[in-house]
Amino acid sequence: MPAVGFLFTRKEWLYFAILAALLLVVLPLGFDIFRLNLIGKYLTYAFVAVGLVLLWGNGGILSLGQGIFFGLGGYCMAMFLKLEASTPEATKIQSTPGIPDFMDWNQITALPSWWAPFYSFSFTLVAIILVPSVFAFIIGAAMFKRRVGGVYFAIITQAVAAILTILIIGQQGYTGGVNGITDLRTLLGWDIRTDEAKLILYFVNAILLIGVLLLAQAVRISKFGRLLIAMRDREDRVRFSGYDVANFKIFIFCLAAAMSAIGGAMFTLQVGFMSPSFVGIVPSIEMVIFAAVGGRLSLFGAIYGALLVNAAKTTFSESFPELWLFAMGGLFIAVVMAFPYGLAGLVKDHVEPFFARRMPGFLKRAPLTQPQAAE
Protein backbone atom coordinates (compact mmCIF):
# COMPACT_ATOMS: atom_id res chain seq x y z
CA MET A 1 0.00 0.00 0.00
CA PRO A 2 1.22 3.55 -0.54
CA ALA A 3 2.48 5.64 2.30
CA VAL A 4 -0.06 7.60 4.27
CA GLY A 5 0.31 10.63 6.49
CA PHE A 6 2.62 13.58 6.42
CA LEU A 7 5.76 12.37 8.19
CA PHE A 8 5.66 8.59 8.12
CA THR A 9 4.56 5.73 5.96
CA ARG A 10 1.81 3.44 7.28
CA LYS A 11 4.37 1.00 8.61
CA GLU A 12 6.30 3.79 10.30
CA TRP A 13 3.15 5.18 11.89
CA LEU A 14 2.62 1.73 13.39
CA TYR A 15 6.11 1.84 14.87
CA PHE A 16 5.48 5.37 16.13
CA ALA A 17 2.21 4.32 17.78
CA ILE A 18 3.94 1.37 19.48
CA LEU A 19 6.70 3.63 20.80
CA ALA A 20 4.25 6.28 22.03
CA ALA A 21 2.10 3.65 23.74
CA LEU A 22 5.19 2.14 25.38
CA LEU A 23 6.43 5.49 26.71
CA LEU A 24 3.11 7.00 27.73
CA VAL A 25 1.05 3.98 28.81
CA VAL A 26 2.92 0.69 29.26
CA LEU A 27 5.96 1.90 31.20
CA PRO A 28 4.05 4.24 33.58
CA LEU A 29 1.57 1.44 34.37
CA GLY A 30 4.18 -1.29 34.60
CA PHE A 31 6.77 0.24 36.91
CA ASP A 32 6.82 1.90 40.31
CA ILE A 33 7.89 5.53 40.60
CA PHE A 34 11.52 4.68 41.42
CA ARG A 35 11.98 2.54 38.31
CA LEU A 36 9.98 4.97 36.20
CA ASN A 37 12.27 7.80 37.25
CA LEU A 38 15.22 5.60 36.28
CA ILE A 39 13.65 4.98 32.86
CA GLY A 40 13.13 8.72 32.52
CA LYS A 41 16.85 9.15 33.08
CA TYR A 42 17.51 6.65 30.29
CA LEU A 43 15.19 8.57 27.98
CA THR A 44 17.21 11.76 28.45
CA TYR A 45 20.07 9.98 26.67
CA ALA A 46 17.69 9.15 23.83
CA PHE A 47 17.65 12.85 22.89
CA VAL A 48 21.36 12.54 22.16
CA ALA A 49 20.87 9.29 20.24
CA VAL A 50 18.18 10.84 18.03
CA GLY A 51 20.50 13.74 17.25
CA LEU A 52 23.26 11.28 16.39
CA VAL A 53 20.99 9.53 13.88
CA LEU A 54 20.75 12.83 12.01
CA LEU A 55 24.40 13.75 12.47
CA TRP A 56 26.10 10.37 12.08
CA GLY A 57 23.57 8.12 10.39
CA ASN A 58 22.32 10.61 7.82
CA GLY A 59 25.13 13.13 7.67
CA GLY A 60 28.05 10.74 8.07
CA ILE A 61 29.57 12.99 10.77
CA LEU A 62 30.71 10.98 13.79
CA SER A 63 30.97 13.13 16.90
CA LEU A 64 32.56 11.67 20.01
CA GLY A 65 31.78 14.76 22.03
CA GLN A 66 28.00 14.91 22.33
CA GLY A 67 28.41 14.79 26.09
CA ILE A 68 29.60 18.40 25.76
CA PHE A 69 26.17 19.59 24.71
CA PHE A 70 24.29 17.22 27.03
CA GLY A 71 26.33 18.66 29.89
CA LEU A 72 25.96 22.30 28.84
CA GLY A 73 22.18 21.96 28.71
CA GLY A 74 22.22 20.22 32.07
CA TYR A 75 24.44 22.87 33.66
CA CYS A 76 22.21 25.69 32.39
CA MET A 77 19.20 24.11 34.10
CA ALA A 78 21.25 23.29 37.21
CA MET A 79 22.38 26.91 37.54
CA PHE A 80 18.78 28.12 37.60
CA LEU A 81 17.72 25.48 40.13
CA LYS A 82 20.75 26.16 42.33
CA LEU A 83 20.09 29.88 42.42
CA GLU A 84 16.47 29.20 43.36
CA ALA A 85 17.69 26.99 46.22
CA SER A 86 20.25 29.59 47.37
CA THR A 87 18.02 32.28 48.81
CA PRO A 88 19.44 34.36 51.69
CA GLU A 89 17.06 32.60 54.08
CA ALA A 90 18.09 29.10 52.94
CA THR A 91 21.81 29.95 53.08
CA LYS A 92 21.89 32.16 56.17
CA ILE A 93 24.47 29.91 57.89
CA GLN A 94 27.00 30.62 55.13
CA SER A 95 29.69 33.26 55.35
CA THR A 96 28.04 34.91 52.34
CA PRO A 97 24.29 34.20 52.28
CA GLY A 98 22.51 34.24 48.94
CA ILE A 99 25.11 32.44 46.82
CA PRO A 100 25.44 28.69 46.04
CA ASP A 101 27.05 26.71 48.84
CA PHE A 102 30.05 25.54 46.80
CA MET A 103 30.96 29.15 46.06
CA ASP A 104 30.91 29.94 49.78
CA TRP A 105 33.11 26.93 50.49
CA ASN A 106 35.64 28.29 47.99
CA GLN A 107 35.73 31.76 49.59
CA ILE A 108 33.84 33.49 46.78
CA THR A 109 32.00 36.44 48.30
CA ALA A 110 29.77 37.56 45.42
CA LEU A 111 27.76 35.87 42.71
CA PRO A 112 29.68 35.97 39.37
CA SER A 113 28.07 38.26 36.81
CA TRP A 114 27.59 35.43 34.30
CA TRP A 115 25.52 33.51 36.83
CA ALA A 116 23.08 36.36 37.45
CA PRO A 117 20.96 35.95 34.24
CA PHE A 118 20.07 32.42 35.36
CA TYR A 119 17.77 33.87 38.00
CA SER A 120 15.32 34.11 35.08
CA PHE A 121 13.59 30.91 34.04
CA SER A 122 12.83 32.34 30.59
CA PHE A 123 16.50 33.15 30.05
CA THR A 124 17.44 29.66 31.24
CA LEU A 125 15.13 28.00 28.70
CA VAL A 126 16.69 30.05 25.91
CA ALA A 127 20.20 29.38 27.19
CA ILE A 128 19.61 25.61 27.25
CA ILE A 129 19.22 25.73 23.47
CA LEU A 130 21.39 28.73 22.60
CA VAL A 131 24.57 28.06 24.61
CA PRO A 132 25.22 24.52 23.26
CA SER A 133 24.19 25.61 19.75
CA VAL A 134 26.63 28.54 19.75
CA PHE A 135 29.37 26.29 21.10
CA ALA A 136 28.61 23.75 18.38
CA PHE A 137 28.63 26.51 15.77
CA ILE A 138 32.11 27.61 16.86
CA ILE A 139 33.46 24.06 16.72
CA GLY A 140 31.68 23.29 13.46
CA ALA A 141 32.75 26.47 11.71
CA ALA A 142 36.34 25.97 12.77
CA MET A 143 36.38 22.38 11.51
CA PHE A 144 34.01 22.17 8.54
CA LYS A 145 35.10 25.40 6.89
CA ARG A 146 38.57 23.85 6.73
CA ARG A 147 37.12 20.56 5.48
CA VAL A 148 38.15 18.66 8.59
CA GLY A 149 36.03 15.52 8.77
CA GLY A 150 36.00 11.79 9.32
CA VAL A 151 38.15 10.39 12.07
CA TYR A 152 39.91 13.73 12.56
CA PHE A 153 36.66 15.46 13.47
CA ALA A 154 35.75 12.60 15.83
CA ILE A 155 39.09 12.90 17.63
CA ILE A 156 38.82 16.68 17.90
CA THR A 157 35.35 16.51 19.45
CA GLN A 158 36.68 13.93 21.89
CA ALA A 159 39.51 16.27 22.81
CA VAL A 160 37.10 19.17 23.33
CA ALA A 161 35.02 16.99 25.67
CA ALA A 162 38.14 16.21 27.71
CA ILE A 163 39.17 19.88 27.82
CA LEU A 164 35.73 21.02 28.95
CA THR A 165 35.68 18.39 31.69
CA ILE A 166 39.06 19.57 32.98
CA LEU A 167 37.89 23.19 32.84
CA ILE A 168 34.72 22.45 34.82
CA ILE A 169 36.64 20.52 37.48
CA GLY A 170 39.36 23.16 37.68
CA GLN A 171 36.91 26.04 38.21
CA GLN A 172 35.49 24.50 41.35
CA GLY A 173 34.38 27.76 42.88
CA TYR A 174 32.19 28.61 39.89
CA THR A 175 31.01 25.18 38.69
CA GLY A 176 31.00 22.95 41.75
CA GLY A 177 34.12 21.11 40.56
CA VAL A 178 34.19 17.34 40.40
CA ASN A 179 31.00 17.06 42.49
CA GLY A 180 29.08 19.29 40.12
CA ILE A 181 25.97 21.26 41.06
CA THR A 182 23.99 19.26 43.61
CA ASP A 183 21.13 19.54 46.09
CA LEU A 184 18.60 20.83 43.55
CA ARG A 185 15.17 20.85 45.12
CA THR A 186 12.58 23.08 43.49
CA LEU A 187 11.52 24.42 40.10
CA LEU A 188 9.66 27.74 40.45
CA GLY A 189 8.75 26.72 43.99
CA TRP A 190 7.59 23.24 42.94
CA ASP A 191 9.34 20.44 44.83
CA ILE A 192 10.85 18.17 42.15
CA ARG A 193 11.80 15.48 44.66
CA THR A 194 8.28 14.19 45.34
CA ASP A 195 6.83 11.11 43.68
CA GLU A 196 4.15 13.21 42.00
CA ALA A 197 6.78 15.54 40.55
CA LYS A 198 8.85 12.62 39.29
CA LEU A 199 5.80 11.19 37.52
CA ILE A 200 4.98 14.55 35.89
CA LEU A 201 8.60 15.08 34.85
CA TYR A 202 8.66 11.62 33.29
CA PHE A 203 5.67 12.48 31.08
CA VAL A 204 7.15 15.89 30.19
CA ASN A 205 10.36 14.13 29.23
CA ALA A 206 8.56 11.50 27.13
CA ILE A 207 6.44 14.09 25.33
CA LEU A 208 9.48 16.25 24.58
CA LEU A 209 11.28 13.19 23.23
CA ILE A 210 8.35 12.39 20.94
CA GLY A 211 8.42 16.01 19.77
CA VAL A 212 12.14 15.82 19.03
CA LEU A 213 11.56 12.54 17.17
CA LEU A 214 8.93 14.21 14.96
CA LEU A 215 11.24 17.16 14.33
CA ALA A 216 14.07 14.84 13.36
CA GLN A 217 11.78 12.95 10.99
CA ALA A 218 10.64 16.22 9.40
CA VAL A 219 14.29 17.08 8.78
CA ARG A 220 14.98 13.66 7.28
CA ILE A 221 12.19 13.77 4.71
CA SER A 222 12.93 17.36 3.69
CA LYS A 223 15.19 18.43 0.83
CA PHE A 224 17.87 19.16 3.42
CA GLY A 225 17.59 15.58 4.68
CA ARG A 226 18.14 14.23 1.18
CA LEU A 227 21.17 16.51 0.81
CA LEU A 228 22.54 15.13 4.09
CA ILE A 229 22.43 11.61 2.71
CA ALA A 230 24.00 12.80 -0.54
CA MET A 231 26.81 14.48 1.42
CA ARG A 232 27.36 11.31 3.39
CA ASP A 233 27.66 9.18 0.26
CA ARG A 234 29.15 11.59 -2.32
CA GLU A 235 30.24 14.80 -0.66
CA ASP A 236 32.32 16.00 -3.63
CA ARG A 237 29.36 15.69 -6.00
CA VAL A 238 27.21 17.80 -3.70
CA ARG A 239 29.94 20.43 -3.48
CA PHE A 240 30.44 20.44 -7.24
CA SER A 241 26.67 20.92 -7.65
CA GLY A 242 27.03 24.33 -6.03
CA TYR A 243 25.97 23.61 -2.46
CA ASP A 244 27.93 24.88 0.53
CA VAL A 245 28.58 21.57 2.28
CA ALA A 246 30.26 23.21 5.27
CA ASN A 247 27.14 25.24 6.16
CA PHE A 248 24.94 22.16 5.96
CA LYS A 249 27.28 20.29 8.28
CA ILE A 250 27.39 23.18 10.73
CA PHE A 251 23.59 23.35 10.81
CA ILE A 252 23.05 19.66 11.49
CA PHE A 253 25.82 19.68 14.10
CA CYS A 254 24.10 22.57 15.89
CA LEU A 255 20.69 20.87 15.64
CA ALA A 256 22.08 17.65 17.16
CA ALA A 257 23.71 19.75 19.90
CA ALA A 258 20.40 21.43 20.75
CA MET A 259 18.64 18.06 20.96
CA SER A 260 21.37 16.77 23.27
CA ALA A 261 21.04 19.87 25.45
CA ILE A 262 17.30 19.31 25.93
CA GLY A 263 18.14 15.82 27.18
CA GLY A 264 20.73 17.24 29.55
CA ALA A 265 18.26 19.75 31.00
CA MET A 266 15.67 17.04 31.58
CA PHE A 267 18.34 14.84 33.14
CA THR A 268 19.10 17.57 35.68
CA LEU A 269 15.43 17.96 36.55
CA GLN A 270 14.83 14.24 37.02
CA VAL A 271 18.05 13.30 38.78
CA GLY A 272 18.54 16.48 40.79
CA PHE A 273 22.17 17.26 39.97
CA MET A 274 24.67 17.75 37.14
CA SER A 275 28.36 16.94 37.22
CA PRO A 276 31.33 16.83 34.80
CA SER A 277 31.09 13.04 34.76
CA PHE A 278 28.37 13.45 32.11
CA VAL A 279 30.45 15.73 29.89
CA GLY A 280 33.67 13.86 29.21
CA ILE A 281 34.96 11.21 26.84
CA VAL A 282 33.41 8.10 28.39
CA PRO A 283 29.78 9.33 28.45
CA SER A 284 30.19 10.74 24.93
CA ILE A 285 31.33 7.37 23.61
CA GLU A 286 28.48 5.65 25.45
CA MET A 287 26.03 7.97 23.69
CA VAL A 288 27.41 6.85 20.32
CA ILE A 289 26.95 3.24 21.42
CA PHE A 290 23.27 3.91 22.18
CA ALA A 291 22.74 5.03 18.59
CA ALA A 292 24.86 2.20 17.17
CA VAL A 293 23.06 -0.53 19.11
CA GLY A 294 19.63 0.80 18.24
CA GLY A 295 20.60 1.51 14.65
CA ARG A 296 22.34 4.65 13.48
CA LEU A 297 19.91 4.95 10.56
CA SER A 298 16.77 4.55 12.69
CA LEU A 299 15.15 7.19 14.87
CA PHE A 300 13.02 4.58 16.62
CA GLY A 301 16.01 2.28 17.03
CA ALA A 302 18.04 5.05 18.67
CA ILE A 303 15.44 5.41 21.43
CA TYR A 304 15.20 1.68 22.02
CA GLY A 305 18.99 1.48 21.98
CA ALA A 306 19.27 4.12 24.69
CA LEU A 307 16.71 2.30 26.83
CA LEU A 308 18.18 -1.18 26.42
CA VAL A 309 21.86 -0.28 26.81
CA ASN A 310 21.21 1.82 29.90
CA ALA A 311 19.01 -0.87 31.42
CA ALA A 312 21.80 -3.39 30.80
CA LYS A 313 24.33 -0.97 32.27
CA THR A 314 22.29 -0.58 35.45
CA THR A 315 21.78 -4.34 35.79
CA PHE A 316 25.31 -5.49 35.08
CA SER A 317 27.19 -2.64 36.71
CA GLU A 318 25.49 -3.47 40.01
CA SER A 319 26.87 -7.02 39.88
CA PHE A 320 30.09 -6.54 37.90
CA PRO A 321 31.05 -2.86 38.15
CA GLU A 322 34.67 -3.42 37.12
CA LEU A 323 33.71 -5.34 33.98
CA TRP A 324 30.98 -3.08 32.61
CA LEU A 325 33.26 -0.81 30.54
CA PHE A 326 34.81 -3.86 28.88
CA ALA A 327 31.32 -5.22 28.18
CA MET A 328 30.31 -1.87 26.68
CA GLY A 329 33.37 -1.87 24.40
CA GLY A 330 32.72 -5.46 23.36
CA LEU A 331 29.08 -4.63 22.63
CA PHE A 332 30.10 -1.75 20.38
CA ILE A 333 32.60 -3.90 18.47
CA ALA A 334 30.05 -6.70 18.08
CA VAL A 335 27.41 -4.33 16.74
CA VAL A 336 29.80 -2.70 14.26
CA MET A 337 31.12 -6.01 12.98
CA ALA A 338 28.08 -8.27 13.10
CA PHE A 339 25.04 -5.95 13.12
CA PRO A 340 26.09 -2.69 11.46
CA TYR A 341 22.48 -1.44 11.39
CA GLY A 342 21.78 -2.38 15.01
CA LEU A 343 18.46 -3.54 16.37
CA ALA A 344 16.59 -1.70 13.62
CA GLY A 345 18.48 -3.75 11.03
CA LEU A 346 17.52 -6.99 12.75
CA VAL A 347 13.87 -5.92 12.81
CA LYS A 348 13.97 -5.02 9.13
CA ASP A 349 15.73 -8.22 8.07
CA HIS A 350 13.97 -10.75 10.28
CA VAL A 351 10.92 -9.39 12.13
CA GLU A 352 9.32 -7.50 9.24
CA PRO A 353 9.52 -10.45 6.81
CA PHE A 354 7.92 -12.66 9.45
CA PHE A 355 4.90 -10.35 9.78
CA ALA A 356 4.86 -9.56 6.07
CA ARG A 357 4.03 -13.20 5.35
CA ARG A 358 1.04 -12.96 7.67
CA MET A 359 0.03 -9.34 6.94
CA PRO A 360 1.09 -8.89 3.32
CA GLY A 361 -0.81 -5.69 2.69
CA PHE A 362 -0.18 -3.79 5.89
CA LEU A 363 3.62 -3.89 6.03
CA LYS A 364 4.25 -3.73 2.31
CA ARG A 365 6.93 -1.20 1.45
CA ALA A 366 5.77 2.03 -0.12
CA PRO A 367 6.90 3.15 -3.58
CA LEU A 368 10.30 4.82 -3.79
CA THR A 369 8.67 8.16 -4.48
CA GLN A 370 7.30 8.19 -0.96
CA PRO A 371 9.44 9.28 2.04
CA GLN A 372 11.40 6.36 3.47
CA ALA A 373 13.26 8.09 6.24
CA ALA A 374 12.46 6.64 9.63
CA GLU A 375 13.65 3.09 9.12
Side-chain angles (χ1 to χ4, degrees), residues 2-218:
V4 294
F6 171 62
L7 290 176
F8 300 116
T9 64
R10 172 175 290 183
K11 177 182 67 176
E12 292 160 355
W13 275 117
L14 172 63
Y15 292 155
F16 177 79
I18 292 172
L19 177 64
L22 176 69
L23 298 183
L24 299 177
V25 179
V26 176
L27 293 177
L29 292 177
F31 291 92
D32 58 39
I33 194 63
F34 173 79
R35 291 294 176 184
L36 192 64
N37 183 247
L38 198 59
I39 294 171
K41 173 185 170 183
Y42 301 160
L43 289 178
T44 62
Y45 295 120
F47 288 88
V48 188
V50 168
L52 279 168
V53 170
L54 292 178
L55 184 65
W56 179 32
N58 284 66
I61 305 167
L62 176 58
S63 170
L64 295 180
Q66 292 305 101
I68 298 169
F69 313 114
F70 184 87
L72 287 175
Y75 267 97
C76 286
M77 178 59 75
M79 290 167 70
F80 170 79
L81 298 178
K82 192 63 176 178
L83 288 176
E84 184 173 324
S86 302
T87 61
E89 295 77 16
T91 57
K92 59 185 178 180
I93 63 172
Q94 295 178 181
S95 301
T96 306
I99 65 173
D101 48 15
F102 59 83
M103 293 185 184
D104 188 66
W105 300 336
N106 286 274
Q107 288 78 51
I108 293 176
T109 57
L111 187 72
S113 58
W114 54 277
W115 267 75
F118 287 92
Y119 276 116
S120 168
F121 185 60
S122 298
F123 176 86
T124 300
L125 293 179
V126 173
I128 287 169
I129 302 298
L130 191 60
V131 171
S133 297
V134 170
F135 198 68
F137 177 83
I138 294 171
I139 297 173
M143 296 297 104
F144 298 135
K145 289 293 185 180
R146 292 168 174 78
R147 299 190 182 180
V148 176
V151 67
Y152 300 104
F153 179 78
I155 292 173
I156 289 171
T157 55
Q158 195 174 54
V160 173
I163 292 169
L164 186 60
T165 302
I166 295 170
L167 180 64
I168 292 173
I169 294 174
Q171 298 297 315
Q172 180 172 313
Y174 302 102
T175 64
V178 68
N179 294 321
I181 301 178
T182 61
D183 197 24
L184 308 177
R185 304 174 183 176
T186 61
L187 173 67
L188 299 175
W190 178 50
D191 192 340
I192 59 175
R193 299 169 297 174
T194 65
D195 288 349
E196 180 186 5
K198 291 177 181 178
L199 181 63
I200 293 173
L201 286 172
Y202 169 83
F203 280 107
V204 171
N205 188 41
I207 292 170
L208 282 175
L209 180 59
I210 291 172
V212 166
L213 172 67
L214 294 175
L215 173 62
Q217 175 65 2

Side-chain angles (χ1 to χ4, degrees), residues 305-352:
L307 284 171
L308 293 175
V309 175
N310 277 286
K313 178 180 179 180
T314 298
T315 302
F316 289 106
S317 61
E318 290 174 353
S319 304
F320 311 100
E322 68 283 355
L323 297 178
W324 169 246
L325 287 178
F326 295 99
M328 181 75 85
L331 177 64
F332 183 62
I333 293 171
V335 167
V336 170
M337 295 184 65
F339 309 106
Y341 298 109
L343 295 174
L346 293 177
V347 170
K348 182 178 180 180
D349 294 339
H350 301 286
V351 178
E352 286 186 7

